[in-house]
Amino acid sequence: MKEYILFYGVASMLMWGFIYLRAFRNSPITWASPTCLFAGGILLFYIGPSLYWQFRPWDYIIPSYFEGLPIFLKSLCLFGMSFLVVAVLSPALIRNKQQTVCSRTGEFGKKLWVFVFPVLFGMGWRIYLLTLGWQGRLSREVPAVCGSESLALIFYNVPYYYAICYFVLIAFGGKKQRQVGMFLWAFDGLFQIFLMHRYWMCLFVIRSIIFATLCGIKLRWKHWVIIGMFGIFVIAVVGKSHVLTYNKVEGGRRFLSVSQVFHVFAEAGVGYARGDFRGRMGSSSDVAMLRALDDTMFRLYQARSASAVMISVPNVIPYFYGKTFVHILYAMIPRYFCPNKPDLGEIQKVTTLVMPYDEGVNPAGTIAEFYMNYGFVAVFFGGIICLLLCRWIERILKHPERINLAWVCVYPIWAEQFLIPYGSFSRRICESFRSVLVLAIVALVLKYCRKQDKKEV
């Protein structure tokens, strides 16, 4: 079995590595292009960890599901065939200088201050959630708005998208507007650390560096080293800090103070270096850095759940024959108005049928979703669909002189749907629909602001 994993793993790594490099050279925004993010996500979350664990002992208390890796890695090769054909046929255009799609500033006046209000509302909503225990893993009490939890789900979208608004101020505002935008950006980053959520901390960094790339800032190797080290710290050390938080909440308060948060991080780092956090079998003698790398690869190893699902089709998990894609039809309808619409989480919950020893719900992912509908046929045609979507966005981003300014600020948020392969295809499409709606709203507001300013002049 290991020989098959190595064979298909190396083959898929070479294929997707070539796809990544060719897309990198052919895009004015290099690594931040849709195809680069798509290929990079597959390399980072699927192929890299799968190969890593063939050379390191798996000593975690939960199953690895290596037996399903050959069929999964074979599917990755099939899925990438259309990407490979386009990469081979496309000319290799080596760009000596990174271009920018953010070349115009100062076109807006006082009306641009309207973008401050969504940020303040989103931060206020997160502060409210903080009082309910939404810090680390202290609590997950679901709030209700006007007695409706479904209505509260609409409010959850504001914190997800409000970064667009301070990006607008930074990219297109005047001097004071840019200063306020930078302050909101910095405060948001510190607030993510205070909330102690690994996902949001990493997402903030990814969005920020994509936005910086769109604005023409070129990241050098030392920046990537710092980003990589920060990612390992967040995944490995911050991920263990939740076990130290429960006994620090006192007097009915449901969140930690700023000093307590940093004390927890320091305590978690020292404890990690000593090997206090096990969750594994017999590996505490490893040096701290190697344990951190193992734990990072453990978290990045999203092929585990996909392998468990795919090897169980159709004996345990039957073919769905397109039923999971029905969720896309309900994407733009708020659950508040359609309480009985299909839940996107149902696609992910299928993993509970074949991963009974895991806590929580593991992501089945895009490849597994295609496979559990029509097998290898769906995987192949799914790759073509994903290629077309990537190419469509790239055609827009390749012409910075004609690009709608809203793209500069919305794309860093939308880019997550290209990067994260363990999200189901249905969820990625549904979230993309919402991003298109947000893009249209931002474009209209920007147009209104510019039009009003010109009249005032």
Side-chain angles (χ1 to χ4, degrees):
M1 180 182 67
K2 185 175 182 178
E3 291 76 10
Y4 286 106
I5 293 175
L6 292 176
F7 175 79
Y8 289 116
V10 172
S12 58
M13 182 180 64
L14 293 175
M15 171 186 286
W16 285 101
F18 177 78
I19 294 169
Y20 176 89
L21 291 175
R22 186 56 63 95
F24 182 93
R25 297 187 175 195
N26 286 350
S27 174
I29 54 175
T30 58
W31 69 272
S33 69
T35 301
C36 275
L37 292 175
F38 200 90
I42 289 176
L43 290 165
L44 180 64
F45 294 99
Y46 280 166
I47 301 174
S50 298
L51 291 174
Y52 177 86
W53 288 115
Q54 306 312 306
F55 300 96
R56 284 288 295 165
W58 180 272
D59 51 13
Y60 292 86
I61 59 178
I62 58 178
S64 63
Y65 299 104
F66 287 154
E67 63 274 11
L69 274 180
I71 189 173
F72 172 74
L73 294 172
K74 187 188 302 183
S75 298
L76 274 184
C77 293
L78 185 63
F79 184 79
M81 288 303 298
S82 55
F83 283 86
L84 180 63
V85 170
V86 171
V88 171
L89 296 179
S90 299
L93 303 177
I94 302 178
R95 302 184 183 275
N96 295 323
K97 184 178 180 180
Q98 178 177 307
Q99 297 182 21
T100 173
V101 298
C102 179
S103 56
R104 294 172 290 180
T105 58
E107 296 184 9
F108 307 92
K110 295 180 179 180
K111 300 297 183 183
L112 207 65
W113 287 113
V114 70
F115 284 96
V116 171
F117 296 104
V119 181
L120 298 179
F121 177 83
M123 289 183 175
W125 176 255
R126 278 192 169 167
I127 292 173
Y128 168 66
L129 293 178
L130 180 66
T131 63
L132 300 180
W134 283 62
Q135 184 184 37
R137 298 185 186 179
L138 287 175
S139 176
R140 280 295 184 272
E141 179 180 330
V142 180
V145 175
C146 298
S148 172
E149 293 182 3
S150 298
L151 184 58
L153 292 175
I154 300 177
F155 284 72
Y156 285 128
N157 289 320
V158 179
Y160 184 81
Y161 289 106
Y162 72 61
I164 295 171
C165 297
Y166 58 68
F167 285 159
V168 169
L169 295 174
I170 295 172
F172 310 123
K175 181 178 180 181
K176 290 184 178 179
Q177 291 168 338
R178 288 197 300 270
Q179 290 175 344
V180 171
M182 290 295 293
F183 171 80
L184 293 173
W185 169 81
F187 180 83
D188 191 32
L190 294 174
F191 194 48
Q192 304 305 336
I193 297 175
F194 179 64
L195 291 177
M196 304 173 68
H197 293 164
R198 288 179 304 182
Y199 167 76
W200 285 102
M201 292 169 69
C202 293
L203 192 61
F204 173 82
V205 172
I206 292 171
R207 290 175 170 182
S208 298
I209 59 178
I210 290 177
F211 176 70
T213 301
L214 291 174
C215 291
I217 299 175
K218 187 175 182 180
L219 299 177
R220 303 188 182 279
W221 67 268
K222 59 182 179 181
H223 301 131
W224 288 112
V225 171
I226 294 173
I227 292 170
M229 296 299 294
F230 176 78
I232 293 176
F233 171 79
V234 170
I235 294 174
V237 177
V238 176
K240 302 293 185 182
S241 64
H242 69 276
V243 301
L244 305 172
T245 58
Y246 298 102
N247 61 349
K248 294 184 179 295
V249 180
E250 302 174 350
R253 190 177 61 183
R254 308 175 71 175
F255 59 92
L256 303 182
S257 65
V258 174
S259 60
Q260 285 178 318
V261 168
F262 286 99
H263 183 268
V264 166
F265 287 161
E267 191 175 343
V270 173
Y272 200 91
R274 291 198 306 256
D276 294 344
F277 307 106
R278 300 289 179 88
R280 305 169 64 178
M281 299 178 294
S283 62
S284 60
S285 61
D286 291 337
V287 296
M289 192 60 197
L290 188 55
R291 285 199 305 272
L293 184 58
D294 280 351
D295 286 346
T296 301
M297 284 298 178
F298 168 73
R299 292 295 177 184
L300 295 179
Y301 177 45
Q302 299 297 330
R304 190 172 70 93
S305 51
S307 300
V309 168
M310 295 174 70
I311 201 173
S312 303
V313 176
N315 295 328
V316 180
I317 300 175
Y319 286 112
F320 283 78
Y321 298 111
K323 290 182 180 179
T324 67
F325 304 134
V326 175
H327 298 71
I328 299 174
L329 302 177
Y330 296 85
M332 302 307 296
I333 305 176
R335 190 169 295 278
Y336 180 72
F337 301 107
C338 185
N340 297 322
K341 79 171 188 175
D343 185 1
L344 282 170
E346 295 174 355
I347 304 172
Q348 306 289 50
K349 291 177 182 177
V350 71
T351 58
T352 60
L353 299 175
V354 294
M355 305 177 73
Y357 302 106
D358 285 76
E359 297 180 359
V361 179
N362 296 279
T366 297
I367 305 295
E369 183 186 3
F370 281 125
Y371 186 82
M372 65 188 189
N373 275 281
Y374 294 101
F376 286 118
V377 174
V379 171
F380 175 75
F381 285 102
I384 296 177
I385 295 173
C386 292
L387 169 67
L388 294 176
L389 293 174
C390 290
R391 298 288 290 181
W392 170 55
I393 304 299
E394 283 171 351
R395 287 179 65 87
I396 297 173
L397 296 176
K398 275 187 176 182
H399 301 285
E401 70 281 357
R402 300 198 301 268
I403 192 173
N404 190 304
L405 296 183
W407 278 94
V408 178
C409 305
V410 176
Y411 179 70
I413 280 72
W414 193 349
E416 180 191 3
Q417 305 311 319
F418 297 100
L419 178 64
I420 309 299
Y422 55 82
S424 68
F425 176 77
S426 299
R427 178 177 291 278
R428 296 167 88 170
I429 294 298
C430 291
E431 293 296 338
S432 294
F433 284 163
R434 295 188 183 99
S435 295
V436 170
L437 177 61
V438 171
L439 176 70
I441 294 173
V442 173
L444 287 174
V445 176
L446 285 174
K447 183 178 181 181
Y448 170 78
C449 292
R450 182 190 291 118
K451 182 178 180 180
Q452 293 296 107
D453 290 337
K454 286 184 178 180
K455 284 185 177 181
E456 291 176 2
V457 174

